[in-house]
Amino acid sequence: MSIPSISRFPIPSIADLPQDIADRILAVQEKSGFVPNVFLVLAHRPDEFRAFFAYHDALMDKPGGLTKAEREMIVVATSAANQCQYCVIAHGAILRIRAKNPLIADQIATNYRKADITPKQRAMLDFAMKVSVEAYKVESADYEQLKAHGFSRDDMWDIAAISAFFAMSNRLANATDMRPNDEFYVMGRG
């Protein structure tokens, strides 16, 4: 059996990358013990790599009303709806670690409506899914529902922005045939 490549596009050598991108990839490798394939695939286009990760970090690595685990829940649920294998597997691993729950990512990816989450998290994911799949149907009542669950206006923006950003990411991952690293499948399960 042949091992599939990680992308339909060329994967540059880390040594040939601009220094800032190489440094970021090596820092991730140092922290996690491997290089997530998304870094290698996107490094093919350095300007887009920088823009992608700048927006990713602005959404996913900031303080706010949403926990880091809740941000990952949004990614896993919407990526499952968009049939993005890479993001479901990679962000599922991150979710398991951040939630300290080996079951939650599989539950959310399969059917978040039946997952062991709070009613507030369910409302968050209902809205995230609507933004990801049917954004043209978003209306004031959706925001009122979030407000009733205690979400701030900034939280509402974050839910929408994470959903929208990962809808783009899902499409890019699918179009490039980006493959998840084997390491992601086992992270946070033990």
Side-chain angles (χ1 to χ4, degrees):
M1 178 173 113
S2 67
I3 297 173
S5 67
I6 65 169
S7 174
R8 286 188 169 97
F9 292 86
I11 302 300
S13 165
I14 294 173
D16 295 334
L17 291 171
Q19 194 61 51
D20 63 314
I21 294 174
D23 289 345
R24 172 130 191 197
I25 290 172
L26 293 172
V28 168
Q29 182 178 33
E30 176 76 23
K31 182 177 179 182
S32 65
F34 67 99
V35 178
N37 290 340
V38 65
F39 287 88
L40 298 173
V41 172
L42 295 181
H44 173 68
R45 312 261 313 230
D47 289 341
E48 293 170 38
F49 176 103
R50 292 180 187 103
F52 180 93
F53 283 108
Y55 197 41
H56 172 277
D57 296 350
L59 293 172
M60 302 300 287
D61 294 335
K62 69 178 187 173
L66 302 178
T67 67
K68 287 187 175 191
E70 288 169 335
R71 291 170 194 276
E72 296 297 338
M73 286 179 188
I74 294 167
V75 178
V76 172
T78 60
S79 296
N82 291 322
Q83 299 183 45
C84 181
Q85 181 187 48
Y86 185 89
C87 291
V88 169
I89 301 303
H91 288 274
I94 298 167
L95 173 56
R96 288 190 298 274
I97 291 166
R98 292 202 167 146
K100 297 176 178 48
N101 180 341
L103 307 178
I104 194 68
D106 294 334
Q107 291 176 349
I108 288 177
T110 304
N111 184 349
Y112 75 91
R113 292 172 192 89
K114 300 193 182 304
D116 297 326
I117 58 176
T118 67
K120 182 177 181 179
Q121 291 166 336
R122 164 80 188 265
M124 173 189 75
L125 293 179
D126 285 342
F127 181 68
M129 292 295 282
K130 192 169 190 178
V131 170
S132 184
V133 178
E134 301 178 307
Y136 60 92
K137 290 185 178 180
V138 172
E139 57 191 2
S140 294
D142 298 309
Y143 288 97
E144 291 304 316
Q145 180 72 14
L146 291 172
K147 185 177 178 182
H149 281 280
F151 288 104
S152 71
R153 295 209 46 91
D154 282 342
D155 297 337
M156 294 174 202
W157 180 282
D158 287 344
I159 296 166
I162 293 165
S163 301
F165 176 77
F166 278 94
M168 182 276 297
S169 178
N170 297 158
R171 284 154 179 78
L172 188 58
N174 278 328
T176 62
D177 197 24
M178 192 182 305
R179 309 302 266 177
N181 301 66
D182 290 347
E183 292 89 344
F184 284 128
Y185 288 93
V186 297
M187 290 172 59
R189 293 195 187 273

PDB file of all heavy atoms in Angstrom, residues 3-42:
ATOM      1  N   ILE A   3       1.682   5.214   0.623  1.00  0.00           N
ATOM      2  CA  ILE A   3       1.269   6.258   1.558  1.00  0.00           C
ATOM      3  C   ILE A   3       0.892   7.483   0.741  1.00  0.00           C
ATOM      4  O   ILE A   3       1.669   7.942  -0.113  1.00  0.00           O
ATOM      5  CB  ILE A   3       2.402   6.578   2.540  1.00  0.00           C
ATOM      6  CG1 ILE A   3       2.718   5.336   3.372  1.00  0.00           C
ATOM      7  CG2 ILE A   3       2.043   7.755   3.429  1.00  0.00           C
ATOM      8  CD1 ILE A   3       3.937   5.474   4.256  1.00  0.00           C
ATOM      9  N   PRO A   4      -0.304   8.043   0.967  1.00  0.00           N
ATOM     10  CA  PRO A   4      -0.702   9.226   0.192  1.00  0.00           C
ATOM     11  C   PRO A   4       0.151  10.439   0.556  1.00  0.00           C
ATOM     12  O   PRO A   4       0.647  10.545   1.669  1.00  0.00           O
ATOM     13  CB  PRO A   4      -2.155   9.445   0.594  1.00  0.00           C
ATOM     14  CG  PRO A   4      -2.331   8.730   1.884  1.00  0.00           C
ATOM     15  CD  PRO A   4      -1.317   7.633   1.924  1.00  0.00           C
ATOM     16  N   SER A   5       0.321  11.322  -0.400  1.00  0.00           N
ATOM     17  CA  SER A   5       1.049  12.551  -0.109  1.00  0.00           C
ATOM     18  C   SER A   5       0.165  13.428   0.777  1.00  0.00           C
ATOM     19  O   SER A   5      -1.019  13.173   0.933  1.00  0.00           O
ATOM     20  CB  SER A   5       1.398  13.277  -1.411  1.00  0.00           C
ATOM     21  OG  SER A   5       0.218  13.740  -2.027  1.00  0.00           O
ATOM     22  N   ILE A   6       0.744  14.473   1.324  1.00  0.00           N
ATOM     23  CA  ILE A   6      -0.025  15.327   2.221  1.00  0.00           C
ATOM     24  C   ILE A   6      -0.734  16.461   1.492  1.00  0.00           C
ATOM     25  O   ILE A   6      -1.511  17.181   2.085  1.00  0.00           O
ATOM     26  CB  ILE A   6       0.835  15.875   3.368  1.00  0.00           C
ATOM     27  CG1 ILE A   6       1.930  16.820   2.868  1.00  0.00           C
ATOM     28  CG2 ILE A   6       1.421  14.738   4.188  1.00  0.00           C
ATOM     29  CD1 ILE A   6       2.646  17.586   3.965  1.00  0.00           C
ATOM     30  N   SER A   7      -0.481  16.607   0.196  1.00  0.00           N
ATOM     31  CA  SER A   7      -1.108  17.683  -0.568  1.00  0.00           C
ATOM     32  C   SER A   7      -0.961  17.428  -2.063  1.00  0.00           C
ATOM     33  O   SER A   7      -0.040  16.744  -2.497  1.00  0.00           O
ATOM     34  CB  SER A   7      -0.432  19.018  -0.231  1.00  0.00           C
ATOM     35  OG  SER A   7      -0.916  20.072  -1.051  1.00  0.00           O
ATOM     36  N   ARG A   8      -1.853  18.021  -2.820  1.00  0.00           N
ATOM     37  CA  ARG A   8      -1.746  17.982  -4.287  1.00  0.00           C
ATOM     38  C   ARG A   8      -0.690  18.956  -4.798  1.00  0.00           C
ATOM     39  O   ARG A   8      -0.346  18.953  -5.965  1.00  0.00           O
ATOM     40  CB  ARG A   8      -3.083  18.375  -4.907  1.00  0.00           C
ATOM     41  CG  ARG A   8      -4.141  17.328  -4.814  1.00  0.00           C
ATOM     42  CD  ARG A   8      -5.369  17.748  -5.638  1.00  0.00           C
ATOM     43  NE  ARG A   8      -6.258  16.617  -5.746  1.00  0.00           N
ATOM     44  CZ  ARG A   8      -7.310  16.413  -4.969  1.00  0.00           C
ATOM     45  NH1 ARG A   8      -7.599  17.286  -4.024  1.00  0.00           N
ATOM     46  NH2 ARG A   8      -8.075  15.362  -5.134  1.00  0.00           N
ATOM     47  N   PHE A   9      -0.214  19.824  -3.921  1.00  0.00           N
ATOM     48  CA  PHE A   9       0.725  20.876  -4.309  1.00  0.00           C
ATOM     49  C   PHE A   9       2.099  20.596  -3.701  1.00  0.00           C
ATOM     50  O   PHE A   9       2.219  19.862  -2.730  1.00  0.00           O
ATOM     51  CB  PHE A   9       0.187  22.239  -3.868  1.00  0.00           C
ATOM     52  CG  PHE A   9      -1.049  22.631  -4.634  1.00  0.00           C
ATOM     53  CD1 PHE A   9      -2.305  22.217  -4.209  1.00  0.00           C
ATOM     54  CD2 PHE A   9      -0.947  23.366  -5.804  1.00  0.00           C
ATOM     55  CE1 PHE A   9      -3.446  22.543  -4.934  1.00  0.00           C
ATOM     56  CE2 PHE A   9      -2.085  23.701  -6.524  1.00  0.00           C
ATOM     57  CZ  PHE A   9      -3.334  23.284  -6.091  1.00  0.00           C
ATOM     58  N   PRO A  10       3.134  21.202  -4.273  1.00  0.00           N
ATOM     59  CA  PRO A  10       4.490  20.950  -3.775  1.00  0.00           C
ATOM     60  C   PRO A  10       4.653  21.360  -2.307  1.00  0.00           C
ATOM     61  O   PRO A  10       4.075  22.359  -1.868  1.00  0.00           O
ATOM     62  CB  PRO A  10       5.368  21.824  -4.663  1.00  0.00           C
ATOM     63  CG  PRO A  10       4.540  22.204  -5.832  1.00  0.00           C
ATOM     64  CD  PRO A  10       3.105  22.126  -5.402  1.00  0.00           C
ATOM     65  N   ILE A  11       5.434  20.587  -1.599  1.00  0.00           N
ATOM     66  CA  ILE A  11       5.758  20.887  -0.205  1.00  0.00           C
ATOM     67  C   ILE A  11       7.202  21.393  -0.180  1.00  0.00           C
ATOM     68  O   ILE A  11       8.124  20.646  -0.514  1.00  0.00           O
ATOM     69  CB  ILE A  11       5.612  19.630   0.688  1.00  0.00           C
ATOM     70  CG1 ILE A  11       4.199  19.063   0.604  1.00  0.00           C
ATOM     71  CG2 ILE A  11       6.029  19.928   2.126  1.00  0.00           C
ATOM     72  CD1 ILE A  11       3.102  20.005   1.038  1.00  0.00           C
ATOM     73  N   PRO A  12       7.395  22.650   0.202  1.00  0.00           N
ATOM     74  CA  PRO A  12       8.755  23.188   0.195  1.00  0.00           C
ATOM     75  C   PRO A  12       9.583  22.619   1.345  1.00  0.00           C
ATOM     76  O   PRO A  12       9.050  22.206   2.370  1.00  0.00           O
ATOM     77  CB  PRO A  12       8.544  24.695   0.371  1.00  0.00           C
ATOM     78  CG  PRO A  12       7.237  24.817   1.064  1.00  0.00           C
ATOM     79  CD  PRO A  12       6.406  23.644   0.604  1.00  0.00           C
ATOM     80  N   SER A  13      10.864  22.628   1.160  1.00  0.00           N
ATOM     81  CA  SER A  13      11.780  22.268   2.231  1.00  0.00           C
ATOM     82  C   SER A  13      11.805  23.404   3.246  1.00  0.00           C
ATOM     83  O   SER A  13      11.806  24.583   2.865  1.00  0.00           O
ATOM     84  CB  SER A  13      13.179  22.061   1.653  1.00  0.00           C
ATOM     85  OG  SER A  13      14.137  22.055   2.669  1.00  0.00           O
ATOM     86  N   ILE A  14      11.821  23.076   4.514  1.00  0.00           N
ATOM     87  CA  ILE A  14      11.863  24.110   5.549  1.00  0.00           C
ATOM     88  C   ILE A  14      13.099  24.988   5.365  1.00  0.00           C
ATOM     89  O   ILE A  14      13.035  26.202   5.549  1.00  0.00           O
ATOM     90  CB  ILE A  14      11.810  23.484   6.956  1.00  0.00           C
ATOM     91  CG1 ILE A  14      10.442  22.813   7.163  1.00  0.00           C
ATOM     92  CG2 ILE A  14      12.067  24.525   8.040  1.00  0.00           C
ATOM     93  CD1 ILE A  14      10.302  22.007   8.425  1.00  0.00           C
ATOM     94  N   ALA A  15      14.205  24.398   4.945  1.00  0.00           N
ATOM     95  CA  ALA A  15      15.448  25.153   4.737  1.00  0.00           C
ATOM     96  C   ALA A  15      15.322  26.192   3.632  1.00  0.00           C
ATOM     97  O   ALA A  15      16.059  27.183   3.621  1.00  0.00           O
ATOM     98  CB  ALA A  15      16.586  24.198   4.415  1.00  0.00           C
ATOM     99  N   ASP A  16      14.378  26.005   2.707  1.00  0.00           N
ATOM    100  CA  ASP A  16      14.206  26.932   1.594  1.00  0.00           C
ATOM    101  C   ASP A  16      13.167  28.020   1.853  1.00  0.00           C
ATOM    102  O   ASP A  16      12.939  28.876   1.002  1.00  0.00           O
ATOM    103  CB  ASP A  16      13.801  26.164   0.330  1.00  0.00           C
ATOM    104  CG  ASP A  16      14.891  25.225  -0.152  1.00  0.00           C
ATOM    105  OD1 ASP A  16      16.079  25.488   0.144  1.00  0.00           O
ATOM    106  OD2 ASP A  16      14.552  24.222  -0.804  1.00  0.00           O
ATOM    107  N   LEU A  17      12.538  28.002   3.010  1.00  0.00           N
ATOM    108  CA  LEU A  17      11.469  28.956   3.326  1.00  0.00           C
ATOM    109  C   LEU A  17      12.024  30.270   3.842  1.00  0.00           C
ATOM    110  O   LEU A  17      13.136  30.310   4.382  1.00  0.00           O
ATOM    111  CB  LEU A  17      10.537  28.356   4.378  1.00  0.00           C
ATOM    112  CG  LEU A  17       9.687  27.188   3.927  1.00  0.00           C
ATOM    113  CD1 LEU A  17       8.975  26.547   5.116  1.00  0.00           C
ATOM    114  CD2 LEU A  17       8.685  27.632   2.875  1.00  0.00           C
ATOM    115  N   PRO A  18      11.245  31.356   3.718  1.00  0.00           N
ATOM    116  CA  PRO A  18      11.645  32.609   4.378  1.00  0.00           C
ATOM    117  C   PRO A  18      11.852  32.336   5.879  1.00  0.00           C
ATOM    118  O   PRO A  18      11.158  31.498   6.467  1.00  0.00           O
ATOM    119  CB  PRO A  18      10.452  33.538   4.139  1.00  0.00           C
ATOM    120  CG  PRO A  18       9.787  32.988   2.913  1.00  0.00           C
ATOM    121  CD  PRO A  18       9.986  31.497   2.983  1.00  0.00           C
ATOM    122  N   GLN A  19      12.790  33.052   6.469  1.00  0.00           N
ATOM    123  CA  GLN A  19      13.205  32.755   7.845  1.00  0.00           C
ATOM    124  C   GLN A  19      12.048  32.810   8.847  1.00  0.00           C
ATOM    125  O   GLN A  19      11.962  31.968   9.742  1.00  0.00           O
ATOM    126  CB  GLN A  19      14.318  33.706   8.283  1.00  0.00           C
ATOM    127  CG  GLN A  19      15.018  33.251   9.552  1.00  0.00           C
ATOM    128  CD  GLN A  19      15.684  31.890   9.396  1.00  0.00           C
ATOM    129  OE1 GLN A  19      16.439  31.662   8.464  1.00  0.00           O
ATOM    130  NE2 GLN A  19      15.408  30.970  10.303  1.00  0.00           N
ATOM    131  N   ASP A  20      11.136  33.794   8.722  1.00  0.00           N
ATOM    132  CA  ASP A  20      10.040  33.893   9.681  1.00  0.00           C
ATOM    133  C   ASP A  20       9.128  32.670   9.631  1.00  0.00           C
ATOM    134  O   ASP A  20       8.658  32.179  10.665  1.00  0.00           O
ATOM    135  CB  ASP A  20       9.236  35.181   9.483  1.00  0.00           C
ATOM    136  CG  ASP A  20       8.549  35.259   8.126  1.00  0.00           C
ATOM    137  OD1 ASP A  20       9.195  34.953   7.086  1.00  0.00           O
ATOM    138  OD2 ASP A  20       7.358  35.645   8.081  1.00  0.00           O
ATOM    139  N   ILE A  21       8.900  32.146   8.450  1.00  0.00           N
ATOM    140  CA  ILE A  21       8.053  30.965   8.303  1.00  0.00           C
ATOM    141  C   ILE A  21       8.786  29.726   8.805  1.00  0.00           C
ATOM    142  O   ILE A  21       8.198  28.912   9.544  1.00  0.00           O
ATOM    143  CB  ILE A  21       7.583  30.815   6.845  1.00  0.00           C
ATOM    144  CG1 ILE A  21       6.655  31.994   6.493  1.00  0.00           C
ATOM    145  CG2 ILE A  21       6.876  29.471   6.629  1.00  0.00           C
ATOM    146  CD1 ILE A  21       6.232  32.059   5.057  1.00  0.00           C
ATOM    147  N   ALA A  22      10.028  29.587   8.459  1.00  0.00           N
ATOM    148  CA  ALA A  22      10.819  28.452   8.958  1.00  0.00           C
ATOM    149  C   ALA A  22      10.867  28.475  10.485  1.00  0.00           C
ATOM    150  O   ALA A  22      10.688  27.433  11.130  1.00  0.00           O
ATOM    151  CB  ALA A  22      12.224  28.494   8.375  1.00  0.00           C
ATOM    152  N   ASP A  23      11.080  29.656  11.069  1.00  0.00           N
ATOM    153  CA  ASP A  23      11.128  29.767  12.533  1.00  0.00           C
ATOM    154  C   ASP A  23       9.805  29.354  13.168  1.00  0.00           C
ATOM    155  O   ASP A  23       9.782  28.655  14.187  1.00  0.00           O
ATOM    156  CB  ASP A  23      11.471  31.195  12.955  1.00  0.00           C
ATOM    157  CG  ASP A  23      12.916  31.586  12.656  1.00  0.00           C
ATOM    158  OD1 ASP A  23      13.744  30.676  12.380  1.00  0.00           O
ATOM    159  OD2 ASP A  23      13.209  32.799  12.694  1.00  0.00           O
ATOM    160  N   ARG A  24       8.705  29.765  12.566  1.00  0.00           N
ATOM    161  CA  ARG A  24       7.393  29.399  13.118  1.00  0.00           C
ATOM    162  C   ARG A  24       7.185  27.883  13.041  1.00  0.00           C
ATOM    163  O   ARG A  24       6.711  27.269  13.993  1.00  0.00           O
ATOM    164  CB  ARG A  24       6.280  30.116  12.361  1.00  0.00           C
ATOM    165  CG  ARG A  24       4.901  29.630  12.759  1.00  0.00           C
ATOM    166  CD  ARG A  24       3.961  30.701  13.084  1.00  0.00           C
ATOM    167  NE  ARG A  24       2.756  30.150  13.696  1.00  0.00           N
ATOM    168  CZ  ARG A  24       1.643  30.793  13.789  1.00  0.00           C
ATOM    169  NH1 ARG A  24       1.547  32.017  13.318  1.00  0.00           N
ATOM    170  NH2 ARG A  24       0.601  30.251  14.371  1.00  0.00           N
ATOM    171  N   ILE A  25       7.518  27.294  11.917  1.00  0.00           N
ATOM    172  CA  ILE A  25       7.347  25.848  11.752  1.00  0.00           C
ATOM    173  C   ILE A  25       8.228  25.086  12.741  1.00  0.00           C
ATOM    174  O   ILE A  25       7.772  24.130  13.382  1.00  0.00           O
ATOM    175  CB  ILE A  25       7.628  25.433  10.300  1.00  0.00           C
ATOM    176  CG1 ILE A  25       6.521  25.959   9.385  1.00  0.00           C
ATOM    177  CG2 ILE A  25       7.759  23.920  10.176  1.00  0.00           C
ATOM    178  CD1 ILE A  25       6.783  25.784   7.899  1.00  0.00           C
ATOM    179  N   LEU A  26       9.455  25.519  12.905  1.00  0.00           N
ATOM    180  CA  LEU A  26      10.366  24.841  13.833  1.00  0.00           C
ATOM    181  C   LEU A  26       9.902  25.006  15.285  1.00  0.00           C
ATOM    182  O   LEU A  26      10.041  24.080  16.096  1.00  0.00           O
ATOM    183  CB  LEU A  26      11.792  25.335  13.641  1.00  0.00           C
ATOM    184  CG  LEU A  26      12.413  24.952  12.288  1.00  0.00           C
ATOM    185  CD1 LEU A  26      13.758  25.634  12.095  1.00  0.00           C
ATOM    186  CD2 LEU A  26      12.531  23.440  12.142  1.00  0.00           C
ATOM    187  N   ALA A  27       9.318  26.153  15.615  1.00  0.00           N
ATOM    188  CA  ALA A  27       8.782  26.356  16.968  1.00  0.00           C
ATOM    189  C   ALA A  27       7.603  25.415  17.232  1.00  0.00           C
ATOM    190  O   ALA A  27       7.481  24.843  18.322  1.00  0.00           O
ATOM    191  CB  ALA A  27       8.367  27.816  17.158  1.00  0.00           C
ATOM    192  N   VAL A  28       6.746  25.243  16.244  1.00  0.00           N
ATOM    193  CA  VAL A  28       5.616  24.313  16.380  1.00  0.00           C
ATOM    194  C   VAL A  28       6.135  22.890  16.529  1.00  0.00           C
ATOM    195  O   VAL A  28       5.646  22.117  17.366  1.00  0.00           O
ATOM    196  CB  VAL A  28       4.657  24.437  15.177  1.00  0.00           C
ATOM    197  CG1 VAL A  28       3.645  23.301  15.147  1.00  0.00           C
ATOM    198  CG2 VAL A  28       3.945  25.779  15.209  1.00  0.00           C
ATOM    199  N   GLN A  29       7.135  22.546  15.750  1.00  0.00           N
ATOM    200  CA  GLN A  29       7.721  21.205  15.840  1.00  0.00           C
ATOM    201  C   GLN A  29       8.326  20.970  17.221  1.00  0.00           C
ATOM    202  O   GLN A  29       8.149  19.900  17.810  1.00  0.00           O
ATOM    203  CB  GLN A  29       8.783  21.025  14.759  1.00  0.00           C
ATOM    204  CG  GLN A  29       9.408  19.643  14.756  1.00  0.00           C
ATOM    205  CD  GLN A  29      10.429  19.486  13.649  1.00  0.00           C
ATOM    206  OE1 GLN A  29      11.115  20.440  13.284  1.00  0.00           O
ATOM    207  NE2 GLN A  29      10.519  18.291  13.111  1.00  0.00           N
ATOM    208  N   GLU A  30       8.994  21.971  17.740  1.00  0.00           N
ATOM    209  CA  GLU A  30       9.601  21.866  19.071  1.00  0.00           C
ATOM    210  C   GLU A  30       8.528  21.635  20.144  1.00  0.00           C
ATOM    211  O   GLU A  30       8.681  20.804  21.029  1.00  0.00           O
ATOM    212  CB  GLU A  30      10.386  23.143  19.381  1.00  0.00           C
ATOM    213  CG  GLU A  30      10.984  23.194  20.767  1.00  0.00           C
ATOM    214  CD  GLU A  30      12.223  22.337  20.921  1.00  0.00           C
ATOM    215  OE1 GLU A  30      12.883  22.043  19.916  1.00  0.00           O
ATOM    216  OE2 GLU A  30      12.523  21.968  22.067  1.00  0.00           O
ATOM    217  N   LYS A  31       7.432  22.358  20.031  1.00  0.00           N
ATOM    218  CA  LYS A  31       6.364  22.274  21.040  1.00  0.00           C
ATOM    219  C   LYS A  31       5.581  20.968  20.933  1.00  0.00           C
ATOM    220  O   LYS A  31       5.261  20.341  21.936  1.00  0.00           O
ATOM    221  CB  LYS A  31       5.419  23.466  20.881  1.00  0.00           C
ATOM    222  CG  LYS A  31       4.316  23.502  21.897  1.00  0.00           C
ATOM    223  CD  LYS A  31       3.459  24.742  21.747  1.00  0.00           C
ATOM    224  CE  LYS A  31       2.342  24.736  22.776  1.00  0.00           C
ATOM    225  NZ  LYS A  31       1.468  25.891  22.632  1.00  0.00           N
ATOM    226  N   SER A  32       5.247  20.546  19.713  1.00  0.00           N
ATOM    227  CA  SER A  32       4.353  19.397  19.546  1.00  0.00           C
ATOM    228  C   SER A  32       5.070  18.086  19.246  1.00  0.00           C
ATOM    229  O   SER A  32       4.477  17.023  19.339  1.00  0.00           O
ATOM    230  CB  SER A  32       3.329  19.685  18.445  1.00  0.00           C
ATOM    231  OG  SER A  32       3.972  19.815  17.200  1.00  0.00           O
ATOM    232  N   GLY A  33       6.307  18.173  18.810  1.00  0.00           N
ATOM    233  CA  GLY A  33       7.041  16.965  18.472  1.00  0.00           C
ATOM    234  C   GLY A  33       6.909  16.557  17.015  1.00  0.00           C
ATOM    235  O   GLY A  33       7.506  15.578  16.586  1.00  0.00           O
ATOM    236  N   PHE A  34       6.129  17.295  16.244  1.00  0.00           N
ATOM    237  CA  PHE A  34       5.967  17.046  14.811  1.00  0.00           C
ATOM    238  C   PHE A  34       5.498  18.332  14.150  1.00  0.00           C
ATOM    239  O   PHE A  34       5.112  19.279  14.834  1.00  0.00           O
ATOM    240  CB  PHE A  34       4.992  15.889  14.543  1.00  0.00           C
ATOM    241  CG  PHE A  34       3.561  16.174  14.940  1.00  0.00           C
ATOM    242  CD1 PHE A  34       2.616  16.568  13.998  1.00  0.00           C
ATOM    243  CD2 PHE A  34       3.144  16.038  16.260  1.00  0.00           C
ATOM    244  CE1 PHE A  34       1.299  16.828  14.354  1.00  0.00           C
ATOM    245  CE2 PHE A  34       1.832  16.291  16.631  1.00  0.00           C
ATOM    246  CZ  PHE A  34       0.902  16.689  15.676  1.00  0.00           C
ATOM    247  N   VAL A  35       5.527  18.359  12.825  1.00  0.00           N
ATOM    248  CA  VAL A  35       5.054  19.530  12.081  1.00  0.00           C
ATOM    249  C   VAL A  35       3.675  19.208  11.517  1.00  0.00           C
ATOM    250  O   VAL A  35       3.543  18.340  10.642  1.00  0.00           O
ATOM    251  CB  VAL A  35       6.010  19.902  10.925  1.00  0.00           C
ATOM    252  CG1 VAL A  35       5.463  21.096  10.149  1.00  0.00           C
ATOM    253  CG2 VAL A  35       7.402  20.201  11.453  1.00  0.00           C
ATOM    254  N   PRO A  36       2.630  19.878  12.010  1.00  0.00           N
ATOM    255  CA  PRO A  36       1.306  19.658  11.419  1.00  0.00           C
ATOM    256  C   PRO A  36       1.339  19.975   9.918  1.00  0.00           C
ATOM    257  O   PRO A  36       1.926  20.977   9.493  1.00  0.00           O
ATOM    258  CB  PRO A  36       0.411  20.638  12.186  1.00  0.00           C
ATOM    259  CG  PRO A  36       1.107  20.801  13.507  1.00  0.00           C
ATOM    260  CD  PRO A  36       2.571  20.781  13.164  1.00  0.00           C
ATOM    261  N   ASN A  37       0.724  19.113   9.147  1.00  0.00           N
ATOM    262  CA  ASN A  37       0.786  19.236   7.694  1.00  0.00           C
ATOM    263  C   ASN A  37       0.256  20.560   7.167  1.00  0.00           C
ATOM    264  O   ASN A  37       0.701  21.024   6.116  1.00  0.00           O
ATOM    265  CB  ASN A  37       0.064  18.062   7.033  1.00  0.00           C
ATOM    266  CG  ASN A  37       0.832  16.766   7.209  1.00  0.00           C
ATOM    267  OD1 ASN A  37       2.026  16.760   7.489  1.00  0.00           O
ATOM    268  ND2 ASN A  37       0.138  15.645   7.054  1.00  0.00           N
ATOM    269  N   VAL A  38      -0.661  21.199   7.874  1.00  0.00           N
ATOM    270  CA  VAL A  38      -1.190  22.474   7.408  1.00  0.00           C
ATOM    271  C   VAL A  38      -0.068  23.503   7.245  1.00  0.00           C
ATOM    272  O   VAL A  38      -0.078  24.303   6.311  1.00  0.00           O
ATOM    273  CB  VAL A  38      -2.313  23.010   8.335  1.00  0.00           C
ATOM    274  CG1 VAL A  38      -1.798  23.358   9.721  1.00  0.00           C
ATOM    275  CG2 VAL A  38      -3.019  24.202   7.701  1.00  0.00           C
ATOM    276  N   PHE A  39       0.918  23.460   8.116  1.00  0.00           N
ATOM    277  CA  PHE A  39       2.033  24.402   8.011  1.00  0.00           C
ATOM    278  C   PHE A  39       2.841  24.148   6.747  1.00  0.00           C
ATOM    279  O   PHE A  39       3.252  25.084   6.065  1.00  0.00           O
ATOM    280  CB  PHE A  39       2.936  24.298   9.249  1.00  0.00           C
ATOM    281  CG  PHE A  39       2.326  24.893  10.480  1.00  0.00           C
ATOM    282  CD1 PHE A  39       1.525  24.132  11.313  1.00  0.00           C
ATOM    283  CD2 PHE A  39       2.540  26.218  10.811  1.00  0.00           C
ATOM    284  CE1 PHE A  39       0.951  24.672  12.447  1.00  0.00           C
ATOM    285  CE2 PHE A  39       1.974  26.773  11.941  1.00  0.00           C
ATOM    286  CZ  PHE A  39       1.172  25.996  12.766  1.00  0.00           C
ATOM    287  N   LEU A  40       3.069  22.893   6.445  1.00  0.00           N
ATOM    288  CA  LEU A  40       3.864  22.549   5.266  1.00  0.00           C
ATOM    289  C   LEU A  40       3.103  22.841   3.974  1.00  0.00           C
ATOM    290  O   LEU A  40       3.680  23.351   3.017  1.00  0.00           O
ATOM    291  CB  LEU A  40       4.260  21.072   5.326  1.00  0.00           C
ATOM    292  CG  LEU A  40       5.128  20.686   6.525  1.00  0.00           C
ATOM    293  CD1 LEU A  40       5.323  19.179   6.584  1.00  0.00           C
ATOM    294  CD2 LEU A  40       6.462  21.422   6.494  1.00  0.00           C
ATOM    295  N   VAL A  41       1.817  22.534   3.959  1.00  0.00           N
ATOM    296  CA  VAL A  41       1.015  22.771   2.754  1.00  0.00           C
ATOM    297  C   VAL A  41       0.909  24.270   2.474  1.00  0.00           C
ATOM    298  O   VAL A  41       1.116  24.716   1.340  1.00  0.00           O
ATOM    299  CB  VAL A  41      -0.387  22.120   2.880  1.00  0.00           C
ATOM    300  CG1 VAL A  41      -1.286  22.522   1.719  1.00  0.00           C
ATOM    301  CG2 VAL A  41      -0.259  20.598   2.974  1.00  0.00           C
ATOM    302  N   LEU A  42       0.606  25.059   3.490  1.00  0.00           N
ATOM    303  CA  LEU A  42       0.432  26.492   3.272  1.00  0.00           C
ATOM    304  C   LEU A  42       1.759  27.216   3.027  1.00  0.00           C
ATOM    305  O   LEU A  42       1.770  28.294   2.429  1.00  0.00           O
ATOM    306  CB  LEU A  42      -0.314  27.131   4.448  1.00  0.00           C
ATOM    307  CG  LEU A  42      -1.754  26.662   4.619  1.00  0.00           C
ATOM    308  CD1 LEU A  42      -2.406  27.375   5.786  1.00  0.00           C
ATOM    309  CD2 LEU A  42      -2.573  26.848   3.352  1.00  0.00           C
TER     310      LEU A  42
END
